[in-house]
Amino acid sequence: MSEEKTTRKLSIEEEVEIYIDAILERAKDFEFSSFLLGAKKEVYDEDDAGLLKRTLGVRLCLCDGWLDRGRDVDWRHPDLVFILCGIKDGEAQIALKIRSIYVYGRYRKHERGISQTRWVCQKCNGKGCKKCQKQGRHYEESVQEIISAGLCPAFGSGNLGFFHGMGREDVDVLMLGHGRPFVFEILKPKVRSIDLEAFTAKFNEGNKEKVTLESLRLTNFRAPALVKGVSPDKSYRAFCKYLDTAPSPEKVKELPSAFSAQVLDQRTPQRVARRRADLIRKREVRSLVIEEEREDGLLLAIRSQSGTYIKELISSDEGRTEPSIAGFLGVPCVCAELDVLDIHISDDDALTKPEPEAESVSSGAEENGPDSALQ
Ligand SMILES: [Zn+2]
């Protein structure tokens, strides 16, 4: 501002002296390989900025050794950005922006009752109310928080961090096999390089009853959109429980072939109808195998197109999924237990922009959005 400019007590050169000491002091806490300096527009005009740049540039090159240690200015994605916001009472006012770190990996969930992300009670916004039994949240633990409690301190971050999953499983469903791809964004990291293999081993040892990790690698800010932008097939193990009587043995025998390459019409399940558009989606069951026949039901291995509602495939959801296993067997059934056994995508493919292609069965792009918006 012009008023501030005329009352500026120090010359730019004197300000720079103060800035450099302050920046070096702040920078001590961080591991970084690139940085950028900026000047706040409201405080400095273009002439000032030019003078700042010249003065700072000379000083930094000559005496501070930042550049000598191989730290390049990275204009597009610097690790740190120091914004010079003026000198107040002899003290440098510096705003510091710290680039997030993005870690890709896959998680397995070994215990039921853990939600994927922190699920704050919407009625009280976390304060605690009757609906959430004064907890402020719907589930005590989440995959997000368990991963955060390991990853964030390892990178010197005290924040929760953002979790981006490739879809999600229900709270009562286990995530097994090679796990579900995710990207975790670590906010304001002080450390940028850790031994991810050693981290994984230690994390898995401490969390083996609940959540374990594999395939961790550093990635970038584009990764969350990539991971959310693909819809691979999934394999499940489901226990189809008879509610009433057992079906005829002939029907059981015919079940696998009846549900191989079988396209379903799935109307939005009643249990999620409040938060999702009421649509009929076409989803394909690729294959169905009976792993075990028990007196009270069937243990099934099912591979299906992404977005298939497996619980409703079994129960029919009062006719909203057609055809259904209950309908085919001719007896009422429910999905009493469900585990995700595999998500059929490689790590490299999870981080690669998919080629646009016409989907033969899916109704399209709406598939990935709602999952991420749920909680
Ligand atoms: Zn509440």
Side-chain angles (χ1 to χ4, degrees), residues 4 25 40 45 51 71 90 114-115 126-127 162 212 217 230 241 260 263-264 287 292 297-298 307 311 322 362:
E4 196 170 335
E25 193 55 37
K40 199 174 177 188
D45 63 20
L51 195 54
R71 300 187 190 192
I114 300 175
S115 65
K127 284 193 204 102
F162 289 117
T212 55
R217 59 166 97 163
V230 285
K241 190 177 187 323
S260 288
V263 176
L264 314 171
S287 64
E292 203 184 312
L298 301 170
K311 291 172 180 172
E322 186 60 41
S362 163

Side-chain angles (χ1 to χ4, degrees), residues 112 172-176 235-238 337-341:
R112 298 181 205 281
D172 59 347
V173 172
L174 300 185
M175 181 65 239
L176 304 173
S235 288
Y236 299 88
R237 184 168 53 213
E337 204 160 87
L338 185 63
D339 302 328
V340 184
L341 293 187

Side-chain angles (χ1 to χ4, degrees), residues 121 123-124 128-129 131-132 136:
C121 174
K123 198 174 174 202
C124 64
C129 68
K131 194 181 169 209
C132 59

Side-chain angles (χ1 to χ4, degrees), residues 114-293:
I114 300 175
S115 65
Q116 190 192 60
T117 50
R118 201 163 77 109
W119 195 345
V120 173
C121 174
Q122 287 187 333
K123 198 174 174 202
C124 64
N125 209 4
K127 284 193 204 102
C129 68
K130 227 175 163 183
K131 194 181 169 209
C132 59
Q133 296 170 325
K134 301 223 164 87
Q135 299 299 303
R137 52 195 304 166
H138 292 301
Y139 293 94
E140 241 170 69
E141 285 184 295
S142 65
V143 172
Q144 176 187 23
E145 285 161 292
I146 292 169
I147 293 176
S148 174
L151 266 184
C152 289
F155 283 93
S157 166
N159 296 68
L160 172 65
F162 289 117
F163 185 93
H164 311 273
M166 187 181 284
R168 65 174 188 90
E169 65 284 341
D170 287 341
V171 172
D172 59 347
V173 172
L174 300 185
M175 181 65 239
L176 304 173
H178 284 292
R180 182 182 296 276
F182 68 91
V183 175
F184 196 91
E185 179 180 355
I186 296 157
L187 303 169
K188 301 183 179 178
K190 287 184 170 159
V191 178
R192 292 195 168 265
S193 52
I194 69 165
D195 181 341
L196 286 171
E197 226 168 278
F199 170 84
T200 303
K202 199 175 152 210
F203 180 94
N204 288 351
E205 184 53 35
N207 294 284
K208 61 186 170 203
E209 311 290 325
K210 291 181 176 172
V211 172
T212 55
L213 301 175
E214 65 176 65
S215 306
L216 293 193
R217 59 166 97 163
L218 294 182
T219 177
N220 60 43
F221 67 95
R222 291 189 185 89
L226 295 178
V227 162
K228 284 173 175 290
V230 285
S231 316
D233 277 11
K234 301 189 180 76
S235 288
Y236 299 88
R237 184 168 53 213
F239 184 57
C240 167
K241 190 177 187 323
Y242 310 138
L243 283 180
D244 199 353
T245 50
S248 75
E250 292 74 36
K251 278 286 175 191
V252 170
K253 215 175 157 190
E254 289 167 14
L255 186 69
S257 58
F259 282 89
S260 288
Q262 172 66 59
V263 176
L264 314 171
D265 285 327
Q266 285 206 303
R267 191 166 158 203
T268 305
Q270 299 178 63
R271 64 191 170 92
V272 301
R274 275 181 57 193
R275 44 185 200 238
R276 291 193 188 190
D278 191 12
L279 302 169
I280 294 174
R281 298 173 178 81
K282 288 200 181 294
R283 292 290 185 267
E284 186 180 293
V285 177
R286 315 284 197 205
S287 64
L288 184 152
V289 173
I290 298 174
E291 289 202 326
E292 203 184 312
E293 280 186 51

